[in-house]
């Protein structure tokens, strides 16, 4: 690969466009000791050959076959659980956090009832200090003043009433103090769709949640979180929607009386919500439908949600509609529907990382259709220190493909040889030995991680491929060494010397081990390309990889193991020891 020190006007235009998107604002690219990785015609194929290569490399037709934005189509193949299979919204509400905190009944809004006790103190012209019980008629008796009705009054109102009663008899030089000493405990029935219906003790001012928690909470399959009734003498005195508490922290605070009943109604219509939400839940409806805007307020969406899939049944048949999130607010969701939120907006920008020998920023934000030549035109490198002919790319999708291919090969090896029958005892013994060899080999091979390196430089040319988000472009430095590894006695790095052969380097590393297969020696180039040692000329930075021989007399098994060893070497640059 030739390298030119001056950027052409056409490439300069590309350079400015790409460099303007760099994550670091600017970098120096025109000094006496820096050069550009501009891909000249001597390096890259001409335009017509580029187009032919691109047609061969990119065989996927990504032209849409329908207008997917119409709302008629969407990712309907993505599975979502039905409402009954999801936990209800609020399922973690009753975990014992309410039952251990009984109220003391001294809330300023508490209303006095028979059985309570009021402390009354007076001093000055009239001396009095006593705890007065509230009798069955709702009165307390104050000496000198007579009975005083306080039932239904708040503590502040009781204080005013007592003060007025005493000062009406002793108008001068009298100070009065009152305090609600204690409240009468109550027993409340909890029934309906709860885990443990029963009668539970508390105080009149305890929260509804206190009694529900004592009853084990709401039945998650059948109980309603939105229809909780407080019944007194066959009359509903309060209806509570626990969604208000779950979302806003607000809850009705009825004052309980002895014999009240809390009734959990049967669960109403529900919908299933999943996808890019913080938790997938079943949401209960008030009525048979709600709007998309109301659902968005209920569900806690992750950032970046752009589309919504709505599936359900209607009178004219099943539906599956796909909406942008801003169009979803006006949609009507009905009982039994499934709603899937998704971050389905493709970014028009990709981020590519640079590593190795270069100047400037290490990350670039590029257009989604950017190609390797455009990026390299924007990068300055140290002159005479960069092996531009050995550029390669680490790509996550290639890594996944290598891992899957290796996994498939190991599975075929295991299936083919571990289940084969034996006709004689001698053959059975051989099978046992082979099985142990195969199992150990599979265990070690499964632990190796492919590199995901994509070879883009070959025979002095660089393929002008389209970049992908997350690519790591490696621009290696010029190397003066050779690495000798695999089945040699002393794996080591050696200085590159022109004219030395592969065998010369291996002998310098102590020669072959007993397990070495001297007919299979690989040369791993700096760009990740792997070639047979018989057919190449050594270059600085190469790695000599001596493969092991398959320790079996079964020719078919030996051939299979050898193939997988080569596959491992290409994907991981490791000569796996058998």
């Amino acid at each position: 690969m030739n390298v030119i020190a001056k950027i052409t006007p056409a490439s300069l235009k590309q350079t400015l466009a790409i460099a303007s998107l760099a994550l670091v604002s600017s970098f120096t690219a025109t000094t006496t000791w820096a050069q550009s990785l501009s891909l000249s015609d001597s390096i890259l194929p001409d335009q017509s050959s580029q187009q032919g290569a691109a047609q061969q490399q990119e065989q996927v037709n990504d032209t849409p076959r329908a207008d997917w934005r119409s709302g008629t189509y969407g990712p309907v193949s993505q599975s979502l659980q039905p409402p009954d299979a999801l936990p209800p919204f609020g399922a973690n509400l009753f975990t014992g956090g309410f039952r251990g905190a009984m109220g003391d009944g001294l809330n300023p809004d508490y209303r006095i009832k028979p059985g309570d006790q009021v402390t009354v103190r007076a001093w000055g012209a009239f001396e009095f200090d006593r705890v007065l019980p509230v009798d069955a008629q709702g009165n307390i008796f104050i000496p000198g003043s007579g009975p005083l009705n306080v039932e239904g009054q708040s503590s502040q109102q009781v204080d005013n009433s007592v003060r007025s009663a005493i000062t009406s008899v002793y108008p001068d030089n009298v100070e009065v103090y009152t305090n609600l000493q204690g409240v009468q405990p109550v027993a409340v029935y909890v029934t309906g769709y709860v885990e443990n219906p029963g009668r539970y003790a508390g105080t009149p001012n305890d929260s509804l949640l206190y009694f529900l928690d004592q009853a084990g909470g709401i039945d998650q399959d059948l109980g309603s979180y939105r229809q909780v009734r407080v019944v007194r003498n066959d009359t509903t005195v309060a209806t509570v929607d626990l969604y208000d508490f779950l979302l806003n922290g607000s809850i009705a605070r009825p004052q309980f009386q002895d014999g009240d009943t809390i009734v959990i109604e049967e669960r109403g219509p529900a919908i299933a919500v999943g996808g890019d939400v913080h938790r997938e839940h079943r949401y209960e409806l008030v009525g048979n439908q709600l709007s998309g805007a109301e659902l968005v307020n209920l569900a806690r969406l992750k950032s970046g949600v752009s589309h919504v899939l709505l599936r359900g049944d209607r009178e004219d048949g099943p539906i599956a509609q796909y909406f942008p999130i801003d169009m979803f607010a006006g949609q009507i969701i009905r009982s039994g529907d499934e709603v899937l939120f998704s971050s389905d907006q493709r970014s028009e920008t990709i981020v590519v990382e640079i590593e190795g020998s270069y100047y400037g920023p290490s990350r670039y934000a590029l257009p989604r259709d950017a190609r390797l030549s455009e990026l390299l035109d924007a990068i300055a490198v140290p002159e005479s220190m960069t092996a531009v002919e050995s550029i390669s790319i680490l790509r996550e999708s290639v890594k996944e493909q290598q891992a899957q291919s290796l996994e498939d090969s190991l599975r075929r090896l295991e299936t083919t040889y571990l289940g084969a029958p034996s006709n004689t005892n001698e053959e059975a013994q051989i099978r046992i030995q082979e099985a142990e060899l195969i199992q150990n080999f599979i265990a070690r091979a499964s632990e190796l991680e492919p590199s995901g390196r994509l070879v883009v430089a070959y025979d002095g040319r660089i393929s002008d491929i389209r970049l992908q988000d997350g690519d790591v472009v490696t621009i290696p430095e010029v190397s003066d060494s050779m690495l000798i590894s695999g089945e040699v006695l002393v794996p080591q790095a050696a200085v590159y010397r022109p004219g030395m052969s592969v065998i010369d380097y291996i002998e310098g590393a102590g020669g072959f081990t007993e397990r070495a297969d001297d007919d299979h020696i690989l040369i791993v180039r700096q760009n990740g390309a792997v070639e047979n040692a018989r057919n190449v000329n050594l270059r600085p930075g190469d790695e000599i990889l001596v493969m092991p021989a398959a320790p079996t007399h079964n020719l078919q098994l030996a051939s299979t193991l050898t193939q997988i060893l080569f596959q491992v070497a290409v994907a991981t640059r490791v000569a796996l020891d058998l």
Side-chain angles (χ1 to χ4, degrees):
M1 174 178 176
N2 298 323
V3 180
I4 62 176
K6 184 178 181 181
I7 301 178
T8 63
S11 65
L12 177 61
K13 182 178 180 181
Q14 293 176 336
T15 301
L16 294 175
I18 301 295
S20 66
L21 291 171
L23 298 184
V24 177
S25 60
S26 64
F27 60 90
T28 304
T30 55
T31 66
T32 58
W33 38 265
Q35 59 185 356
S36 168
L37 282 179
S38 177
L39 302 178
S40 63
D41 292 340
S42 62
I43 299 173
L44 291 174
D46 58 25
Q47 186 173 3
S48 61
S49 62
Q50 285 184 26
Q51 292 175 352
Q55 290 174 358
Q56 292 178 359
Q57 292 175 1
E58 300 174 9
Q59 300 177 3
V60 178
N61 180 10
D62 55 2
T63 303
R65 290 169 292 174
D67 184 5
W68 304 108
R69 297 169 297 177
S70 65
T72 305
Y73 301 96
V76 294
S77 60
Q78 186 166 357
S79 62
L80 183 66
Q81 300 182 51
D84 289 341
L86 292 174
F89 178 62
N92 60 344
L93 181 60
F94 300 103
T95 56
F98 300 108
R99 71 181 67 174
M102 179 184 292
D104 57 12
L106 303 182
N107 188 294
D109 296 328
Y110 176 74
R111 301 295 172 175
I112 302 294
K113 64 182 184 62
D116 292 343
Q117 295 178 333
V118 181
T119 299
V120 178
R121 292 189 177 93
W123 62 95
F126 174 67
E127 298 287 340
F128 184 79
D129 187 353
R130 189 178 301 174
V131 176
L132 304 178
V134 180
D135 62 24
Q137 300 179 21
N139 298 324
I140 59 175
F141 188 85
I142 302 176
S145 298
L148 176 67
N149 188 275
V150 295
E151 183 178 4
Q153 296 184 4
S154 66
S155 59
Q156 183 62 47
Q157 291 171 333
V158 170
D159 182 79
N160 293 335
S161 297
V162 171
R163 189 181 302 276
S164 297
I166 293 178
T167 55
S168 65
V169 179
Y170 304 97
D172 298 322
N173 194 26
V174 175
E175 298 293 334
V176 178
Y177 169 81
T178 63
N179 179 47
L180 185 60
Q181 180 70 21
V183 297
Q184 183 75 16
V186 296
V188 174
Y189 295 96
V190 183
T191 187
Y193 294 93
V194 291
E195 294 293 340
N196 303 305
R199 185 170 180 259
Y200 297 95
T203 66
N205 207 47
D206 279 327
S207 168
L208 173 90
L209 299 173
Y210 172 78
F211 293 102
L212 289 178
D213 202 7
Q214 288 192 90
I218 297 173
D219 186 317
Q220 295 191 14
D221 295 325
L222 301 174
S224 171
Y225 282 75
R226 312 206 68 173
Q227 291 290 326
V228 181
R229 295 190 300 121
V230 178
V231 179
R232 180 177 302 152
N233 298 324
D234 297 328
T235 301
T236 299
V237 296
T239 300
V240 179
D241 185 346
L242 292 181
Y243 276 23
D244 293 336
F245 177 74
L246 291 165
L247 295 171
N248 307 314
S250 60
I251 188 172
R253 296 295 302 270
Q255 182 170 308
F256 288 98
Q257 295 183 10
D258 194 59
D260 283 353
T261 302
I262 299 173
V263 181
I264 305 300
E265 299 289 350
E266 184 179 5
R267 190 194 82 196
I271 60 174
V273 177
D276 288 329
V277 293
H278 287 287
R279 287 189 180 178
E280 296 185 344
H281 282 304
R282 177 183 73 232
Y283 287 89
E284 186 179 349
L285 306 182
V286 176
N288 292 317
Q289 64 184 39
L290 79 166
S291 68
E294 291 172 320
L295 178 58
V296 170
N297 184 53
L298 286 175
R300 292 300 185 249
L301 309 184
K302 294 182 179 179
S303 61
V305 169
S306 60
H307 289 78
V308 186
L309 169 65
L310 173 63
R311 291 191 296 200
D313 292 317
R314 298 294 184 266
E315 294 179 356
D316 54 352
I319 63 166
Q321 297 176 328
Y322 201 49
F323 303 98
I325 188 67
D326 55 352
M327 294 178 57
F328 179 65
Q331 303 303 318
I332 299 299
I333 299 95
R334 299 183 180 177
S335 175
D337 284 354
E338 302 170 355
V339 181
L340 186 75
F341 292 93
S342 81
S343 303
D344 200 21
Q345 187 69 42
R346 295 191 66 183
S347 173
E348 294 301 316
T349 302
I350 62 174
V351 177
V352 176
E353 185 177 350
I354 310 297
E355 66 175 12
S357 176
Y358 68 96
Y359 294 114
S362 62
R363 288 179 175 85
Y364 287 80
L366 308 174
R368 191 156 57 90
D369 59 351
R371 292 189 173 273
L372 181 59
S373 63
E374 299 176 275
L375 175 62
L376 294 182
D377 278 341
I379 298 173
V381 300
E383 188 175 3
S384 73
M385 293 178 58
T386 306
V388 293
E389 73 281 355
S390 296
I391 292 174
S392 62
I393 294 177
L394 290 174
R395 179 167 287 179
E396 190 64 29
S397 60
V398 174
K399 180 178 179 179
E400 293 173 357
Q401 291 170 0
Q402 290 175 333
Q404 185 61 51
S405 177
L406 179 58
E407 181 182 348
D408 293 342
S409 297
L410 295 175
R411 186 180 299 112
R412 286 194 298 269
L413 173 65
E414 186 176 29
T415 303
T416 302
Y417 293 101
L418 294 186
S422 303
N423 297 323
T424 64
N425 291 335
E426 292 77 7
E427 186 178 354
Q429 292 298 321
I430 295 175
R431 291 288 186 187
I432 292 175
Q433 295 175 358
E434 289 179 349
E436 184 178 359
L437 169 68
I438 292 171
Q439 288 175 338
N440 292 336
F441 174 72
I442 291 175
R444 289 197 301 273
S446 299
E447 296 175 355
L448 297 176
E449 184 175 355
S451 64
R453 191 166 296 278
L454 178 64
V455 179
V456 296
Y458 180 75
D459 196 21
R461 305 168 73 86
I462 296 179
S463 299
D464 191 19
I465 66 171
R466 188 171 62 191
L467 297 170
Q468 293 183 6
D469 187 44
D471 279 353
V472 180
V473 180
T474 303
I475 308 173
E477 288 187 355
V478 171
S479 176
D480 297 321
S481 65
M482 300 282 296
L483 182 63
I484 304 95
S485 62
E487 294 298 330
V488 293
L489 289 175
V490 185
Q492 60 181 270
V495 176
Y496 171 76
R497 295 179 182 177
M500 287 186 64
S501 67
V502 172
I503 297 300
D504 292 335
Y505 284 107
I506 293 175
E507 289 178 352
F512 296 105
T513 65
E514 294 180 355
R515 298 185 300 273
D517 185 355
D518 53 9
D519 290 331
H520 293 99
I521 304 174
L522 303 180
I523 304 299
V524 183
R525 303 295 195 184
Q526 272 189 300
N527 64 353
V530 180
E531 304 178 43
N532 194 296
R534 296 194 191 96
N535 308 321
V536 300
N537 295 320
L538 293 177
R539 297 199 299 255
D542 286 347
E543 178 182 357
I544 300 173
L545 194 61
V546 180
M547 302 300 293
T552 176
H553 298 292
N554 185 330
L555 296 180
Q556 185 179 4
L557 176 58
S559 175
T560 302
L561 289 174
T562 300
Q563 291 175 1
I564 298 179
L565 286 171
F566 272 78
Q567 184 179 358
V568 170
V570 171
T572 67
R573 300 181 69 167
V574 173
L576 184 61
D577 182 12
L578 288 168

